[in-house]
């Protein structure tokens, strides 16, 4: 297994190019199941989760042709309708194939999903919505068995809570359904917006894109002609590198970024003392000499993202004062706290609230990544810790970050990927 060896990197300088968004790529790859043509996607990040989902599509009969940061997916000969446990267990986002397979073939078997152990992420909202659309669903031996005796039909769906994958799944199912489907309390994340925009450009009329109420006009089973498109920049990767600049007090410039997707992150960094120079596609962080404490509550977009909670918690260890970070979306997303405490962080947990007392003098040691974003938090802490830090289990990191150690090395970080 690989691990990262990181030494104190007090001063970084330079430019980091942001990759395409993993969380936008995954539903768009699943969307290819709805296409009658080869779909060309550009700006695709080179991360494990992407390769896993493409492998799943290949197992179903699709062909996937890679060329640098792009892929051409052809699902014309798709014939299998069973997404098996051996792949789905590694990544929760595999559930995204449920809606499009069911819409196209009228039946499917999809293993119950796995992924990061950050808390319960039930799929009952997906299943309830599909049942409203006419699906018959049973759970047998760890598989979701779904069929549509009379096809999927449009209806009124109200999600009890905001669900990003649930919204994406139902939007894709509704794309081929008969009639119009209205989703109330839909997710508004940029990744969901791009999925809707691509479908809209492919002949599926969607009203309300970017709002909490979506109306999808289905094609009554007609497959789509999907034009070439580029994946939006990864806002979470961008936020992570902004935190790297803030925690090391280094000026960094990010390119191929979408500043408007980072409103809540930039706002909190400004509260902590940083300032920014923005263009349409770049962000330069001018870090504070003294980091101020902050109060953060994770909520659905456009509020502060749960996927940035761990990184800001690491940053808060270097603030001059007490920061309060409240996690409202997942009940088990503070597993990185114990590892940061091993490095000397002063953090107290009380249920879903972390109290971070700074400034902590962090010391390098051996730490273990517990999930995707926790691993990046440990990397950030290691950049300012004295001595040497070894971050183990970085297969979590590789699920969502494209060449993180190379990008940090290029701006001056003392970081190496080594074998155990």
């Amino acid at each position: 297994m690989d691990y990262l060896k990181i030494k104190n990197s007090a001063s970084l300088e330079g430019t980091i190019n942001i990759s395409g968004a993993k969380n936008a790529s995954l539903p768009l790859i699943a969307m290819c199941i709805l296409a009658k043509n080869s779909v060309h996607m550009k700006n695709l990040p080179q991360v494990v989760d992407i390769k896993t989902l493409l492998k799943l599509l290949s197992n179903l009969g699709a062909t996937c042709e890679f060329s640098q940061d792009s892929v051409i997916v052809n699902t014309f000969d798709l014939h299998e309708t069973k997404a098996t446990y051996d792949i789905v267990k590694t990544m929760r986002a595999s559930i995204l194939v449920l809606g499009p397979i069911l819409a196209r073939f009228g039946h499917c078997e999809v293993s119950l999903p796995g992924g990061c152990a950050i808390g319960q992420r039930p799929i009952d909202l997906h299943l309830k919505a599909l049942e409203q659309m006419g699906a018959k669903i049973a759970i047998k031996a760890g598989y979701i068995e779904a069929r549509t005796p009379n096809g999927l039909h449009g209806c009124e769906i109200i999600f009890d809570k905001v669900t990003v994958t649930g919204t994406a799944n139902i939007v894709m199912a509704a794309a081929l359904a008969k009639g119009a489907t209205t989703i109330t309390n839909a997710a508004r994340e940029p990744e969901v917006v791009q999925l809707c925009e691509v479908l809209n450009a492919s002949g599926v009329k969607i009203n309300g894109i970017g709002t909490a109420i979506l109306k999808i006009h289905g094609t009554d089973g007609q497959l789509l002609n999907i034009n070439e498109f580029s994946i939006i920049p990864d806002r979470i990767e961008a936020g992570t590198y902004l935190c790297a600049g803030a925690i090391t007090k280094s000026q960094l410039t990010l390119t191929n970024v979408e500043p408007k997707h980072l409103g809540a992150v930039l706002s909190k960094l400004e509260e902590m003392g940083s300032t920014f120079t923005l263009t349409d596609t770049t962000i330069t962080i001018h870090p504070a000499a003294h980091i101020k404490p902050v109060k953060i509550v994770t909520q659905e977009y456009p509020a502060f993202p749960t996927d940035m909670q761990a990184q800001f918690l690491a940053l808060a260890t270097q603030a001059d004062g007490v920061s309060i970070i409240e996690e409202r979306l997942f009940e088990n997303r503070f597993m990185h706290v114990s590892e940061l405490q091993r490095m000397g962080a002063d953090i107290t947990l009380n249920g879903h609230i972390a109290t971070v007392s700074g400034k902590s003098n962090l010391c390098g040691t051996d730490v273990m990544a517990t999930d995707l974003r926790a691993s990046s938090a440990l990397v950030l802490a290691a950049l300012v810790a004295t001595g040497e830090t070894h971050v183990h289990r970085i297969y979590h990191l590789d699920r969502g970050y494209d060449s993180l150690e190379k990008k940090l090395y290029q701006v001056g970080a003392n970081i190496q990927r080594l074998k155990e």
Side-chain angles (χ1 to χ4, degrees):
M1 253 192 274
D2 292 356
Y3 71 98
L4 293 178
K5 182 174 79 171
I6 306 170
K7 294 182 180 179
N8 185 283
S9 306
S11 182
L12 309 179
E13 184 179 5
T15 299
I16 296 176
N17 187 63
I18 300 303
S19 301
K22 175 193 79 114
N23 289 339
S25 303
L26 294 172
L28 289 166
I29 290 170
M31 178 201 64
C32 294
I33 295 169
L34 306 176
K36 61 182 178 183
N37 64 308
S38 295
V39 181
H40 187 189
M41 287 175 278
K42 301 188 332 188
N43 198 36
L44 197 73
Q46 300 298 304
V47 298
V48 170
D49 275 9
I50 300 299
K51 297 172 184 176
T52 299
L53 191 56
L54 289 170
K55 181 180 178 182
L56 173 55
L57 260 63
S58 297
N59 286 358
L60 297 174
T63 60
C64 306
E65 300 176 20
F66 287 97
S67 176
Q68 295 182 335
D69 65 345
S70 69
V71 66
I72 298 174
V73 179
N74 188 329
T75 63
F76 182 78
D77 293 324
L78 208 70
H79 54 276
E80 290 290 338
T81 58
K82 184 174 183 177
T84 56
Y85 172 73
D86 60 325
I87 293 183
V88 178
K89 69 179 180 182
T90 65
M91 186 179 66
R92 173 180 162 74
S94 300
I95 195 67
L96 287 166
V97 302
L98 174 63
I101 293 178
L102 186 61
R104 176 169 171 173
F105 294 101
H107 61 90
C108 65
E109 292 179 64
V110 178
S111 174
L112 292 170
C116 281
I118 61 173
Q120 292 299 311
R121 292 180 283 180
I123 60 168
D124 58 317
L125 298 179
H126 305 230
L127 304 184
K128 179 182 176 183
L130 289 171
E131 286 176 332
Q132 288 179 255
M133 297 175 72
K136 305 295 183 183
I137 295 175
I139 308 293
K140 295 182 180 179
Y143 280 81
I144 302 162
E145 295 185 2
R147 57 188 177 86
T148 57
N150 301 305
L152 293 175
H153 57 76
C155 65
E156 301 279 337
I157 294 168
I158 301 175
F159 282 133
D160 292 335
K161 60 181 291 188
V162 175
T163 165
V164 175
T165 53
T167 301
N169 229 339
I170 301 310
V171 165
M172 288 187 284
L176 297 194
K178 184 177 182 179
T181 300
T182 300
I183 303 174
T184 300
N185 203 23
R188 293 181 285 164
E189 272 72 4
E191 298 79 13
V192 172
V193 169
Q194 183 172 31
L195 173 65
C196 292
E197 288 175 341
V198 172
L199 286 170
N200 195 60
S202 305
V204 180
K205 183 180 178 182
I206 302 179
N207 304 116
I209 296 175
T211 75
I213 301 178
L214 296 173
K215 187 172 185 178
I216 306 101
H217 301 266
T219 67
D220 196 9
Q222 296 299 309
L223 295 180
L224 312 176
N225 189 62
I226 299 174
N227 296 325
E228 176 183 301
F229 59 88
S230 291
I231 307 296
I232 60 173
D234 195 316
R235 61 193 173 98
I236 305 303
E237 184 193 25
T240 300
Y241 292 127
L242 290 175
C243 285
I247 200 169
T248 60
K249 299 180 173 63
S250 304
Q251 180 173 301
L252 294 174
T253 296
L254 309 186
T255 59
N256 185 38
V257 68
E258 183 57 80
K260 68 182 181 182
H261 292 167
L262 286 154
V265 170
L266 295 176
S267 177
K268 288 301 176 183
L269 285 170
E270 286 178 337
E271 285 184 34
M272 300 179 84
S274 293
T275 59
F276 302 94
T277 301
L278 308 178
T279 72
D280 288 344
T281 59
T282 69
I283 301 175
T284 298
I285 180 171
H286 309 286
H290 299 283
I291 301 171
K292 300 176 183 177
V294 70
K295 181 175 182 180
I296 289 172
V297 177
T298 65
Q299 291 178 298
E300 295 86 358
Y301 188 87
F304 189 89
T306 180
D307 279 353
M308 285 302 305
Q309 176 256 104
Q311 299 91 313
F312 269 78
L313 196 148
L315 177 58
T317 68
Q318 301 307 295
D320 296 325
V322 177
S323 297
I324 306 294
I325 299 179
E326 182 176 352
E327 173 59 60
R328 288 192 179 177
L329 298 183
F330 295 114
E331 75 280 2
N332 197 26
R333 204 164 196 178
F334 280 128
M335 291 187 290
H336 45 282
V337 166
S338 59
E339 299 302 296
L340 290 171
Q341 288 171 332
R342 283 171 46 76
M343 299 178 71
D346 185 352
I347 306 169
T348 303
L349 281 182
N350 183 10
H352 58 277
I353 298 174
T355 302
V356 188
S357 299
K359 177 181 178 181
S360 296
N361 294 317
L362 302 179
C363 298
T365 185
D366 285 277
V367 291
M368 290 191 301
T370 52
D371 62 69
L372 170 55
R373 304 308 172 185
S375 54
S376 62
L378 297 178
V379 170
L380 294 175
L383 292 175
V384 294
T386 57
E388 186 173 287
T389 302
H390 294 174
V391 182
H392 301 274
R393 295 184 181 177
I394 58 169
Y395 54 82
H396 289 295
L397 191 77
D398 294 336
R399 287 187 49 232
Y401 286 96
D402 187 344
S403 307
L404 177 137
E405 74 279 3
K406 292 179 183 177
K407 292 183 179 183
L408 285 174
Y409 179 80
Q410 288 170 357
V411 294
N414 193 334
I415 182 170
Q416 290 178 278
R417 177 182 288 256
L418 299 171
K419 296 288 185 184
E420 294 281 9

